[in-house]
Amino acid sequence: MAIIVDHLNYIYGQDTEQAVHALQDINLQIPDGQFIGIIGHTGSGKSTLMQHLNGLLKATSGTIYYNGQDIYDEDYKLKDLRSHVGLVFQYPEHQLFEADVFSDVCFGPKNLGLSKKDAELRAFEALRKVGFPEELFYTSPFDLSGGQKRRVAIAGVLAMKPDVLILDEPTAGLDPKGREDILGMVKSLQRESGMTILLVSHSMDDVAEYVDRILVMDHGRIAFDDIPRNVFSHVEELEEMHLAAPQVTYILRDLEKAGIDVDENATTVEEAASTILQAFGIK
Amino acid sequence: MIRDITIGQYYQTDSVLHRLDPRVKLLGTLLYLVSLFCFHNPAGYAVALLFLILCIRLSHVPFGYMIKGMKGIMMILMITILFNLFLTSGTVLVSFWKITITVEGLKLAITMALRLCMLIIGASLMTLTTTPNHLTDGLEKGLRFLKVIKMPVHEIAMMMAIALRFIPILLEETDKIMKAQLARGADFESGGLVRRAKAMVPLLVPLFVSAFRRANDLAMAMEARCYRGGDGRTKMKPLIYAGRDYAAYLILLAYLVISIFLGRWSVMTELLTSL
Amino acid sequence: MDIVKARNLVFEYIRRDEEGNVEGISTAVDHVSLQIAQGDFVAILGHNGSGKSTLAKHLNAILYPTEGTVWVDGKDTSAEENLWAVRQNVGMVFQNPDNQIIGQVVEEDVGFGPENLGVPTKEIWERVEESLRAVGMYEYRKHSPNRLSGGQKQRVSIAGVLAMHPKCIVLDEPTAMLDPSGRKEVIRAVRGLNDVEGITVILITHYMEEVIHANKIFVMDGGKLVMEGTPREIFSQVERLKELRLDVPQVTLLAHELRKKGLPIPEGILERKELVEALRGLK
């Protein structure tokens, strides 16, 4: 049992007039190896929750257990937590600062107190995992394309060998192929390294395609926590939260209404195609 | 963190002070600040305080909001008070252990604290009630005469306006980058001065890169919107003095007369006592 | 009358190494010829680095052609005397909403363009009001841009351009940094300008759903114009688009998959309704 969030509350700007109850009574269990999608309208509290999971923000009340240990315990070292729970921020390429790609990726492991050799070993491994071409290791990160910069930034977090990887909108601003590449890479990280992945995303289509479980956040609360097809069956409620189901879900609902017998809870193009074909008697 | 420093950030409301011509406010603030350094007696302070309270009431800016903005400079205030309190020589008031407090020190500490508070509130009152754009407009028009000596007044004003617009954005960005580096195990808090300074590199490099990128984008956006310097430019909100501005100048004049009178009076009383 | 016309447009830039020596010459735009009629809604697609932003910057005389000519409203953009007329006629909206708002107050920002044009004060106010109303941001005129959502900021940017009374607006990935509801707001505003005010719109985007209402789509790759046609013509070539690192709307993809499996439905379906109709026709 990796992460347990217990009655977590966070009030931003407490004691002021503009106090915002950003997280309200969050309860959550995240077992090892899951791929979880987190969706919610801007300001729904999803980024705030993510920052709690690796100790960047401290809850007003409630607590988080990481591998059974209370992270707010006085003896607990938050720096350790941050090496176990990696957080990749939105537009992570904005945090690159070293003169070359390789040294930038070494920054994380060096901060963990590893020797130069170990740090470099990890950097090498991390860059390989994100599929970054070896011949560009010693170029300046500022000369790279947007998609490549982002890979380097993700490698910078991977080099700390986290067990849990949180990505806040890793595909923002990329072109369609770039989005697909990054998500495919994340999926393979989960499959091959058994990493737990939390993916914050605005794109329902992407989330439906990749994740095992979806958390829907709304006004600082968890509105839904279920497998994709169950979550997306609540189309009306999602729309009230300024969210939507994947396009195919809408198509299937329309078809059902039009009297064609399909499974209206399919969430990916593949699933939708197979249920429609079935309805038309084609295998 | 850094974002909590709200000293003098424009407060959106409607008041006489908000509607006043920025040139009046600029001159008024300047006069007020100067007057604070001219006073040497309680009567002078009383007048300055009264004038300030009047302005605060007129501004419709909640006093709590102003005070909140001052949190950031509390440190400086405390240091000033302590220095004056402990390091002024004179008649001993109390003395314990290695610390002595003198009557002069106490007096100085109180007047300095008062003066500093009034100074800061007075100055922030201007920025609280004037949008930075309005302020730079005021500077541009008020200092137009400097164009004669080839001062690029418009350009300076434009730069100020842009800087003010981007301060909150860059502060937010600093916060974000700091968190991102913390998530990569960076440590901004422990270690000696050299280590801490070194720890700032991962923060400052991305910040500079981002600032340059923004500057580049903004320059392009401005050019795309036909910006070509101050010549031939019209104003959406031209500065034209209204009745209230003349009235404000009159009030300022009155304040000036009273403060000069009080200043003189204090000098005269000093002269009398010294005799 | 063509508002924008380009003939054999080439743009090259010189890459230099750290010492300032010439490393090579890159061609960002490669012999592009196109014509855009007044009142059209045109979309330009292409992956990152395909040259579409560089092309867009030529339309506003931010960049000048290395070879070939661009005309805006009949005027050659590289002639210096046309510079301000060109920039006034073709407004630009950029990707990052924070980096293009100059004013501290919404209305002051919208007034920035007209001020630069030397428009009399009274008329500036009229233009600001009408522009803000056109994008539905009039009630926010006294707000600080920093307090607005991304979608609102972009609408302010559009109003800022609109206040210069352009004949054409070029939007360079205006929705790339927005969440889904922000994207919808902006696209709705843009379509309104085109429908109601008759302003020519040139929209550059990575989101295929945003371009299905365009009159015409240009697809760029490697600086060249590789495809040109109506949305239906373009999106019926699913495989070709994938080769170009692009995507199709999910509906189109689903229709394409069904067709491949033998359901006789037309290629290039763009909207949910169409697909449902087509399938209903088969029952």
Side-chain angles (χ1 to χ4, degrees), chain C residues 234-242 248 252-253 256 267:
Chain C
I234 299 287
F235 288 133
S236 59
Q237 306 176 48
V238 178
E239 308 298 332
R240 174 92 176 99
L241 285 168
K242 282 198 173 157
V248 294
T252 315
L253 187 62
H256 177 75
E267 270 289 6

Side-chain angles (χ1 to χ4, degrees), chain C residues 110-208:
Chain C
V110 178
F112 180 76
E115 283 182 336
N116 292 333
L117 295 175
V119 174
T121 301
K122 191 164 156 277
E123 203 192 322
I124 296 180
W125 282 92
E126 288 162 12
R127 287 189 182 198
V128 168
E129 183 179 336
E130 91 198 1
S131 308
L132 282 171
R133 281 191 197 282
V135 297
M137 286 297 291
Y138 186 65
E139 54 187 305
Y140 293 93
R141 65 191 181 282
K142 300 281 180 201
H143 284 234
S144 153
N146 291 334
R147 300 263 168 96
L148 302 178
S149 73
Q152 290 173 328
K153 282 183 208 168
Q154 284 302 53
R155 276 148 69 201
V156 170
S157 301
I158 294 171
V161 166
L162 211 53
M164 298 173 69
H165 288 178
K167 292 189 175 135
C168 173
I169 296 187
V170 180
L171 301 107
D172 190 358
E173 294 191 42
T175 58
M177 299 179 80
L178 307 182
D179 66 4
S181 49
R183 282 211 290 273
K184 265 190 217 142
E185 275 171 42
V186 170
I187 294 302
R188 206 180 300 132
V190 171
R191 285 185 64 194
L193 298 185
N194 183 250
D195 288 344
V196 182
E197 323 263 335
I199 294 174
T200 313
V201 169
I202 300 174
L203 174 69
I204 297 175
T205 182
H206 286 316
Y207 293 99
M208 304 303 146

Side-chain angles (χ1 to χ4, degrees), chain B residues 12 132-133 164-165 168 214 217-218 220 222-228 232-238, chain C residues 60 84 87 98-104 107-109 112 115-116 118-119 121 124-125 128 142 146 164:
Chain B
Q12 167 79 51
N133 253 19
L164 285 166
R165 151 113 181 86
R214 286 181 191 281
D217 283 6
L218 189 73
M220 198 157 63
M222 285 171 74
E223 276 188 32
R225 280 162 79 181
C226 291
Y227 179 71
R228 55 193 123 163
R233 219 167 168 262
T234 45
K235 288 274 175 193
M236 181 183 180
K237 297 175 177 174
Chain C
N60 187 263
W84 305 111
R87 287 195 180 157
D98 281 325
N99 297 358
Q100 54 186 320
I101 296 180
I102 295 120
Q104 292 268 349
E107 61 180 12
E108 286 178 8
D109 183 71
F112 180 76
E115 283 182 336
N116 292 333
V119 174
T121 301
I124 296 180
W125 282 92
V128 168
K142 300 281 180 201
N146 291 334
M164 298 173 69

Side-chain angles (χ1 to χ4, degrees), chain A residues 161-179:
Chain A
K161 283 209 173 157
D163 303 312
V164 180
L165 184 67
I166 306 173
L167 300 118
D168 194 351
E169 298 234 25
T171 59
L174 296 181
D175 60 18
K177 184 69 169 42
R179 290 202 283 263

